[in-house]
Amino acid sequence: MEIGRLYRSVRDRFREAGLETPDLDARLLVSAALDLPVSSLLLQERERSDEASVGLANSYAEKRLAGMPVGRILGEREFYGRRFLLNAATLEPRPDTETLIDAVLARCDPKSAPVLCDIGTGTGAIAVTLLAELPLSRMVAVDLAPEALHCARLNAEQHHVTDRLLPVCADYTSALRPAAGKAEWAGFDWVVSNPPYIRTAVLQELSREVVQHDPGLALDGGKDGLEAYRIIVADAAHLLRKEGRIALEIGFDQAVDLKNQLRHHGFGAIEIIKDLSGNDRVVLAQKL
C-alpha cells in the first residue's frame, strides 16, 4: 500500500469516529509504524510501505479507536521539545505543565546552580527538563511509585542529566523531612510539583483516555482536590532556604485556596500564572 493511502485510510477512520485530533493522531501513529519522520509522510506518500508496517499502523489505529491515547500506544510523549518515555505508573506530560517550566526558567539565571526538588516526579518531565535547561542545577526527584522513578531515570539517561538527578522513593517529602532539621542543611532553592489535584468525586467524569490509562494515584487529589498541596506547602516551608521559591501546577479553580495555604505557611510574593488557554495554571511563591 502507498504511504499516502495508508495515512489517509487511518485518518478517515479517526475522523469518522469523531476523535478530537484525527489528522494529527494519524500522522503520529502512521509515521511511527513506518519508522519515518512525520514530515516524510507527505514527501514519500507515493512510496510503498511493507506489509508488516501496514499491519502495525492498523494495530495502532485499533488501539486509538478503543480509547488508548497516542502517547500510551507509542510509549512516549513530547514535552518541552524533548521526548519522554512513559509507563503505567506515570502520567503523560501535557502542554499545560510547560507553563510551570517557563515560570521557573524566567526566574532563574541560566548560569546559576540551583538545587531543586520535584515532588511526584512521574516521568521526570519537569525534573529532567529543568536540569537540561539549567546545566549547573541539581535535582532531587521524589515519587512514591518505584516504577515511575525507573521511568524518570531512563528519561534522565536519554537527556544526559543522570549525574545531576537524585531519585528518591518516598511519600511526598517524608524521606526529606529529617534533613531539614540538621544544622548543615541549607535548604532547596526550589520546590516544584504537579501533584494530583482532581477531586475524587469527579474522577470518573474525565475522558476515557485519562480514566482508563492514567494512574489514579497521580490524579486523585482527595475530596476537595487539595490534599497533596497541604502536605507539599507545609513541608516546603521547612525544606526551602530563606527566599527559596515554590512552583505548583494547579487546577483552574484552585488559586484562592493555594494563596491562603501559602500565606498561612509564611510565603509571600505570590503569583498566579495562566496557561495558553487563559486558565490559572501555576502558583509561585517565595519563602519569607
Side-chain angles (χ1 to χ4, degrees), residues 130-141:
L130 290 172
L131 287 172
E133 297 291 328
L134 298 168
L136 299 178
S137 63
R138 289 171 291 160
M139 176 76 69
V140 174

Side-chain angles (χ1 to χ4, degrees), residues 201-212:
V202 303
L203 282 173
Q204 294 305 312
E205 298 175 13
L206 302 176
S207 70
R208 64 174 179 168
E209 284 86 352
V210 172
V211 171
Q212 294 176 3

Side-chain angles (χ1 to χ4, degrees), residues 185-199:
W185 175 249
F188 290 105
D189 297 293
W190 284 89
V191 168
V192 299
S193 183
N194 176 18
Y197 56 76
I198 307 298
R199 295 177 179 85

Side-chain angles (χ1 to χ4, degrees), residues 54-249:
V54 173
L56 184 57
N58 285 323
S59 173
Y60 286 169
E62 289 298 329
K63 290 179 180 179
R64 183 70 190 99
L65 290 167
M68 185 177 288
V70 171
R72 296 292 178 191
I73 296 168
L74 300 181
E76 63 180 27
R77 176 75 181 257
E78 184 173 311
F79 179 81
Y80 218 79
R82 298 177 178 87
R83 290 190 174 186
F84 284 84
L85 301 173
L86 311 172
N87 67 23
T90 65
L91 286 177
E92 286 191 56
R94 291 174 168 85
D96 288 341
T97 305
E98 295 186 359
T99 306
L100 186 150
I101 301 294
D102 287 337
V104 174
L105 292 179
R107 291 157 181 81
C108 285
D109 181 344
K111 296 180 181 179
S112 65
V115 180
L116 307 96
C117 182
D118 179 22
I119 308 297
T121 197
T123 62
I126 292 173
V128 170
T129 299
L130 290 172
L131 287 172
E133 297 291 328
L134 298 168
L136 299 178
S137 63
R138 289 171 291 160
M139 176 76 69
V140 174
V142 182
D143 205 287
L144 180 60
E147 300 86 354
L149 284 178
H150 175 68
C151 188
R153 288 190 192 98
L154 293 176
N155 284 318
E157 290 173 6
Q158 179 172 270
H159 298 298
H160 312 295
V161 298
T162 311
D163 59 331
R164 294 183 285 121
L165 179 76
L166 175 62
V168 175
C169 189
D171 187 9
Y172 295 111
T173 62
S174 59
L176 307 178
R177 291 168 195 160
K182 293 184 178 180
E184 70 270 17
W185 175 249
F188 290 105
D189 297 293
W190 284 89
V191 168
V192 299
S193 183
N194 176 18
Y197 56 76
I198 307 298
R199 295 177 179 85
T200 303
V202 303
L203 282 173
Q204 294 305 312
E205 298 175 13
L206 302 176
S207 70
R208 64 174 179 168
E209 284 86 352
V210 172
V211 171
Q212 294 176 3
H213 299 284
D214 278 341
L217 186 67
L219 295 171
D220 191 347
K223 184 176 180 180
D224 62 0
L226 300 171
E227 286 186 3
Y229 296 110
R230 294 188 185 96
I231 298 169
I232 294 170
V233 170
D235 285 349
H238 301 288
L239 293 171
L240 286 166
R241 64 169 178 78
K242 186 177 181 180
E243 297 184 350
R245 293 176 180 266
I246 186 170
L248 302 170
E249 180 168 336

